């Protein structure tokens, strides 16, 4: 099932997306399905093309992201992949939705895209073993872990390099029924394929990541885990458009701007 968050001009609402590409409709829900389940609002279904999709989830407390979780990406960054999942945070204020602009931050001249599979947490998750991790997952969406490479080099900590406003596009919706073990993940820059990988190449699988993360801190419903990016990262300039497509979910497109 595909759960979207959207607006038709009024307050944001959640809905279930159904139908074939090009003719999808959204059936509105009464509230956030993460908290109250799937309760129809009673409102009429609306055409997907008539709504503006928003980020399908605003992480309640945090986005936990995994660095260098694909060997070919670790290699292109000039290092070995770490033996254990290497974690960092992105703040929930970094989240934007499909087709929202990503604003290149003043003071950085090296902004990169990183297409990633994102995991949305369903339950309060603490001390969960890998084999039980599926019970803690609400679904999957697509992320772009936008990164200021120059700040990543100069700052030591990655808070600014990976946490600036608009640095975490999420969308287009949450797919709740998906086997994430071998999904094609393709990132294009103005239509040119830059990343062409598969989630099968993750070094640390989703279960292992949840075990490792939840050993350190409690994950809350609506928190999001970014699972790392395959090889092919590169710089993006103002005016360019990045699309991340993951098989079984859909695609997430954002245009980069400078203000
Ligand atoms: Mg990343």
């Amino acid at each position: 099932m595909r759960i979207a968050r959207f607006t038709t001009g009024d307050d944001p609402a959640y809905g279930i997306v159904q139908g074939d590409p090009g003719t999808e409709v959204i059936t509105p829900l009464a509230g956030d399905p993460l908290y109250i389940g799937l309760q129809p609002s009673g409102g009429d279904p609306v055409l997907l093309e008539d709504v503006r999709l928003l980020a399908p989830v605003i992480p309640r407390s945090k986005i936990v992201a995994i660095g260098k979780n694909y060997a070919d990406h670790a290699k292109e960054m000039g290092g070995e992949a770490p033996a254990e999942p290497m974690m960092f945070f992105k703040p929930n204020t970094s989240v934007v939705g499909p087709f929202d602009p990503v604003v290149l931050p003043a003071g950085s001249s090296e902004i990169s895209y990183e297409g990633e599979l994102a995991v949305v947490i369903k339950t309060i998750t603490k001390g969960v073993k890998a084999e039980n991790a599926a019970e803690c997952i609400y679904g999957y969406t697509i992320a772009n872990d936008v990164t200021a490479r120059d700040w990543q080099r100069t700052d030591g900590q990655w808070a600014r390099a990976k946490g600036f406003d608009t640095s975490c596009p999420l969308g287009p919706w949450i797919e709740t029924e998906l086997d994430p073990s071998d999904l094609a993940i393709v990132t294009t820059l103005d239509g040119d394929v830059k990343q062409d990988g598969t989630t099968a190449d993750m070094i640390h699988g989703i279960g292992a990541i949840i075990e490792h993360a939840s050993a350190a801190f409690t994950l809350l419903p609506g928190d999001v885990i970014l699972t790392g990016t395959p090889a092919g990262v590169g710089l993006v300039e103002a005016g360019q458009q990045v699309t991340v497509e993951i098989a079984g979910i859909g695609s997430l497109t954002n245009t980069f701007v400078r203000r």
Side-chain angles (χ1 to χ4, degrees), residues 65-68 73 88 90 114-116 144-147 149 158 162 226-229 233:
I66 309 300
K68 298 180 181 174
H73 171 63
F88 57 93
K90 291 169 84 82
E114 295 187 358
E116 309 200 5
N144 191 343
D145 175 22
V146 181
T147 303
R149 293 279 176 237
W158 294 0
K162 284 179 172 285
L226 306 191
T227 55
T229 198
V233 299

Side-chain angles (χ1 to χ4, degrees), residues 132-181:
N132 300 322
E135 298 166 15
C136 308
I137 295 171
Y138 187 72
Y140 302 89
T141 189
I142 303 170
N144 191 343
D145 175 22
V146 181
T147 303
R149 293 279 176 237
D150 42 3
W151 291 350
Q152 198 177 22
R153 282 195 307 272
T154 58
D155 286 8
Q157 300 286 321
W158 294 0
R160 183 172 69 143
K162 284 179 172 285
F164 60 87
D165 288 351
T166 75
S167 67
C168 194
L170 293 176
W173 40 63
I174 300 168
E175 174 54 71
T176 61
E177 295 153 31
L178 187 67
D179 176 356
S181 59

